[in-house]
Amino acid sequence: MDQSVAEKLHPSSLSPQPSGVETLRWREGRLELIDQRRLPARIEFVACSSAEEVARAIRDMAVRGAPAIGCAAAYGVALEAARLRDAAPDAFAAGLDKAFRELAAARPTAVNLAWALERMRSATGAAGRARPPELAARLLDEAHRIASEDVAANRAMGAHGAALIADGARVFTHCNAGALATAGHGTALGVIRSAAAAGKRVSVIVDETRPFLQGARLTAWELKQDGIPVTLITDGMSGHLMSRGEIDAVIVGADRVAANGDVANKIGTYMIAVLAQRHSIPFYVAAPLSTIDVRIASGDAIPIEERGAAEVRGHAGVEWAPPGIAVRNPVFDVTPASLVTALITEKGVVHQPDRRKIAAILK
Ligand code: MRU
């Protein structure tokens, strides 16, 4: 299929939200990403025309959140294929291989990145002996499909998860697992949105989520756009609120779920899960099947990204720590399956997830 035909078949905006959040959009042959480093102060888009530019946007966190980086990477392959469409088949294949490698190396923890690239690889294989222009069109089609399937999965997760949220619930969330972390609607925030849309009076407590402040900047912004009541706290306050009976449920997203149900998510999630258990508060994880990695037996084997010291020493150019102070910055942690009350997927809810139940939902 010709690229221009593929463009007509798919909307340029992939995430039409009530709030108008557009995480990724396809405009005139380019991928535009809302720049999540600038939110909420400025709404700006980063335009990408090559795999290299998309890989940089993922590395530098202009786009972040497991499903969103998977979708962006798929578009990165499609952009590279479009750039190389007039090349000889050998040069096309070599250029595409390089793009796959560069995108795969952009960030290590979220498995959705590798998952989306595998889908794009399979699309090239399925195209048999197709010429580069036809392959390029097929790859763009596949990227559009990955993005629209993500929105559909989030809506299905929202419907399943909303049933777990009581009317009037005060729900605590961490990081940003919203429209901004996906192609639209969100995973954890998708459940909250769906509960609110079903008429439940739900309010949200979100922590700042140091050091990148996804909670304070992104989740707080998204929920305000939607008119869902939201209160911001610092990362150390959730235990206090739980001990005072001010939190009814916790819901977070995930970057990778191991075969036994262990969950890698934003640093701090493990601490919150331990506190939730201490206070008998349900701890829910909302994640699409593309986040489950059955090749990883348990959370111990999930690669944990460590980012630069500057993120911990300060923020946005302001340094508050002594210059040169030693820093650790692991940006994810692992919550054992035993602390997870339920895993919410697009195929349904897995209560007290374990190896057998995870295998069953994937069938
Ligand atoms: O470093 P980030 O912002 O990419 O980390 C994101 C998270 O940890 C999210 O909670 C996770 O990706 C779930 S997204 C629906």
Side-chain angles (χ1 to χ4, degrees):
M1 190 191 304
D2 182 76
Q3 182 169 333
S4 58
V5 177
E7 276 188 43
K8 277 181 209 138
L9 280 178
H10 297 276
S12 62
S13 166
L14 298 165
S15 55
Q17 300 294 318
S19 53
V21 176
E22 287 184 301
T23 308
L24 313 97
R25 62 188 191 196
W26 185 255
R27 290 264 166 99
E28 294 164 11
R30 296 191 312 176
L31 175 66
E32 294 186 351
L33 301 164
I34 195 164
D35 192 338
Q36 303 198 27
R37 298 163 301 187
R38 308 276 171 258
L39 287 170
R42 290 201 296 277
I43 298 178
E44 289 174 5
F45 286 83
V46 176
C48 301
S49 306
S50 66
E52 189 185 348
E53 287 172 3
V54 174
R56 189 180 314 128
I58 295 172
R59 251 191 334 266
D60 297 348
M61 294 178 67
V63 61
R64 37 66 48 202
I69 64 178
C71 295
Y75 280 108
V77 173
L79 284 167
E80 204 57 28
R83 256 166 46 86
L84 295 167
R85 54 188 287 150
D86 296 326
D90 282 356
F92 179 85
L96 221 53
D97 262 355
K98 184 167 168 280
F100 273 111
R101 281 196 304 277
E102 192 166 12
L103 288 160
R107 289 189 76 190
T109 302
V111 75
N112 306 62
L113 178 61
W115 174 89
L117 292 174
E118 261 169 48
R119 281 246 332 226
M120 296 301 278
R121 268 257 187 247
S122 304
T124 57
R129 291 173 172 274
R131 309 280 307 160
E134 195 193 326
L135 263 171
R138 282 177 187 242
L139 286 168
L140 179 59
D141 260 5
E142 186 67 358
H144 284 315
R145 222 174 345 260
I146 288 171
S148 50
E149 284 174 15
D150 183 55
V151 180
N154 294 336
R155 291 201 181 278
M157 248 184 286
H160 293 302
L164 300 170
I165 307 293
D167 186 27
R170 297 153 302 173
V171 181
F172 178 60
T173 192
H174 178 62
C175 193
N176 172 267
L180 289 166
T182 63
H185 197 63
T187 58
L189 288 198
V191 169
I192 291 166
R193 281 198 166 100
S194 295
K200 291 184 179 171
R201 289 157 303 165
V202 52
S203 59
V204 178
I205 296 161
V206 62
D207 63 12
E208 287 176 305
T209 320
R210 279 277 295 143
F212 198 67
L213 303 175
Q214 290 95 329
R217 297 187 303 106
L218 308 177
T219 298
W221 180 74
E222 265 195 46
L223 291 171
K224 277 199 82 168
Q225 301 278 305
D226 276 11
I228 295 175
V230 54
T231 302
L232 177 65
I233 60 173
T234 67
D235 290 9
M237 295 177 184
S238 53
H240 173 69
L241 295 192
M242 287 184 196
S243 74
R244 296 286 168 106
E246 293 183 37
I247 291 174
D248 300 307
V250 177
I251 180 159
V252 296
D255 289 83
R256 196 183 298 228
V257 178
N260 68 345
D262 291 350
V263 174
N265 190 50
K266 180 53 53 192
I267 191 76
T269 303
Y270 170 51
M271 229 160 54
I272 295 162
V274 171
L275 281 165
Q277 189 190 50
R278 172 83 173 81
H279 296 286
S280 305
I281 295 167
F283 179 87
Y284 300 119
V285 176
L289 299 181
S290 56
T291 303
I292 300 178
D293 185 358
V294 284
R295 289 169 299 194
I296 295 274
S298 78
D300 296 343
I302 298 176
I304 299 293
E305 177 181 8
E306 293 245 4
R307 295 184 65 87
E311 287 183 359
V312 176
R313 289 193 189 127
H315 185 73
V318 181
E319 261 207 22
W320 48 70
I325 189 84
V327 158
R328 282 291 309 276
N329 189 16
V331 298
F332 298 98
D333 59 24
V334 173
T335 298
S338 57
L339 295 177
V340 177
T341 309
L343 175 66
I344 302 159
T345 76
E346 67 271 42
K347 271 177 80 180
V349 177
V350 184
H351 295 274
Q352 290 158 331
D354 60 18
R355 193 176 304 280
R356 186 184 56 78
K357 292 176 192 169
I358 298 270
I361 194 101
L362 288 171
K363 271 198 186 131

